Amino acid sequence: MRGYQVYSHSERPKVVDLPLPEPSKGQFRMKICACGLNFADLLMQRGTYQDTPELPFVAGMEVAGVVDAIGPDTSGLNIGDRVAVFGGQGGLAEYGCFETDRAVGLPDSMSFEEAAAFQIAYGTSHVALDYRARLQPGETLLVLGAAGGVGLTAVEIGKLMGAKVIACARGAEKLSVAKAAGADHLIDAKTEDIRDVVRSLGGADVVYDPVGGEQWDAAFRASNPDARLLPIGFASGDVPKIPANHMLVKNLTVIGVYWGGYLKYKPSVVTDSLKTLFDWYEAGKLKPHVSHTLPLEDVAEGMELLRSRKSTGKVVIVP
């Protein structure tokens, strides 16, 4: 089979021929039909992600496809089942072996491309806004990076939860995508002052930030007393600095969110969230946005789209 193998953190990965893997006890093998790209994939290639696998490894965190083989003494799945998995690695290949207890059955109406774009982006936003920040109807939610993979889902979910959503992104094209997802107000990070605009709209009660850097600083200052701030990631490359004195004065709460971490010590948070999200999808309340679909040979192009922030929603690789 072919796979996108990372051999070194200082060299570009390659699509190479690899042995077909065999599932062990508790695992199944998937014929991979789609793999969603995430900013964490870029960090893994550099060796800077908190869960970077040992070298060498096949990149690709979330996949969707068909059950192709089942390991010995393993139950719960059948050959031919349509499933999605957050495996953490191994997704950018034609086949992969994954833990059976991580498999999620797909609704008949959901395509493999949508499924590969679904779990991490929607899961992160739902756990962040519902379980962690306890977003309430009528509150104001500020979403930075609002046209990106996770930011766009935060706009959708925030609106579903009854919030007033302020979407911040760079340029009219990206802002139009956020508007279509339900944003009530738009801020162009290229030309507008985030702090001033948010304050003019009454301030933010919850901040969802996958960007970091200067945008975090502006959002921090535009937060209302008792606001909750969610650092989701640092696409700007600049990890935010949190002024504790300002937190004290305004009674602010900064809440870390690492969706994948719950799979290790409290998986019910993820499984309960995904059940809600799939129910919303089947009810037509969520519409995954995939801006680019590329073949396995073009993974490097897909990664560059993420790095340069030229994509909206998700980039999906179809082996």
Side-chain angles (χ1 to χ4, degrees), residues 1 9 17 28 57 68 86 133 154 171 205 249 290:
M1 70 168 195
H9 296 312
D17 290 326
F28 74 100
F57 65 92
D68 174 72
F86 170 74
D205 300 307
V249 171
V290 177

Side-chain angles (χ1 to χ4, degrees), residues 6-237:
V6 181
Y7 292 97
S8 165
H9 296 312
S10 59
E11 298 178 12
R12 177 175 287 190
K14 300 176 182 178
V15 176
V16 296
D17 290 326
L18 297 167
L20 185 69
E22 294 295 335
S24 57
K25 183 177 179 179
Q27 293 185 327
F28 74 100
R29 185 172 67 206
M30 175 193 288
K31 179 178 172 57
I32 297 170
C33 298
C35 178
L37 297 187
N38 294 275
F39 195 80
D41 290 311
L42 287 171
L43 301 180
M44 279 189 187
Q45 291 180 33
R46 300 171 192 155
T48 59
Y49 190 60
Q50 58 262 27
D51 275 344
T52 297
E54 292 185 9
L55 296 169
F57 65 92
V58 172
M61 301 177 69
E62 58 180 334
V63 293
V66 177
V67 176
D68 174 72
I70 297 173
D73 301 319
T74 301
S75 59
L77 293 174
N78 297 302
I79 304 296
D81 284 351
R82 300 173 73 251
V83 296
V85 174
F86 170 74
Q89 61 175 298
L92 289 169
E94 293 176 316
Y95 292 85
C97 290
F98 305 98
E99 301 300 315
T100 301
D101 59 6
R102 288 198 177 192
V104 179
L106 300 182
D108 291 339
S109 58
M110 180 177 275
S111 69
F112 291 122
E113 290 82 0
E114 287 180 316
F118 195 84
Q119 287 191 88
I120 294 177
Y122 281 102
T124 295
S125 293
H126 186 250
V127 167
L129 297 177
D130 182 62
Y131 182 75
R132 297 291 282 154
R134 307 294 183 187
L135 179 67
Q136 300 299 308
E139 289 190 312
T140 297
L141 168 65
L142 170 62
V143 180
L144 305 178
V150 290
L152 193 59
T153 62
V155 172
E156 270 190 285
I157 290 171
K159 194 63 181 174
L160 274 176
M161 293 177 68
K164 178 175 78 173
V165 180
I166 304 172
C168 179
R170 297 178 66 84
E173 182 180 353
K174 290 187 175 183
L175 287 171
S176 68
V177 173
K179 180 69 173 178
D184 299 289
H185 302 280
L186 306 174
I187 301 175
D188 190 336
K190 281 184 176 181
T191 59
E192 296 182 275
D193 187 301
I194 296 171
R195 178 186 179 187
D196 288 349
V197 176
V198 174
R199 280 184 166 181
S200 74
L201 294 170
D205 300 307
V206 175
V207 174
Y208 182 100
D209 179 21
V211 179
E214 293 180 355
Q215 292 193 27
W216 165 273
D217 295 339
F220 196 97
R221 295 191 186 98
S223 296
N224 292 326
D226 279 332
R228 290 87 74 203
L229 297 95
L230 300 156
I232 305 296
F234 321 114
S236 67

Side-chain angles (χ1 to χ4, degrees), residues 246-263:
H246 291 179
M247 287 179 62
L248 182 152
V249 171
K250 295 176 71 175
N251 290 308
L252 301 177
T253 304
V254 176
I255 307 172
V257 182
Y258 174 37
W259 179 81
Y262 283 111
L263 290 168

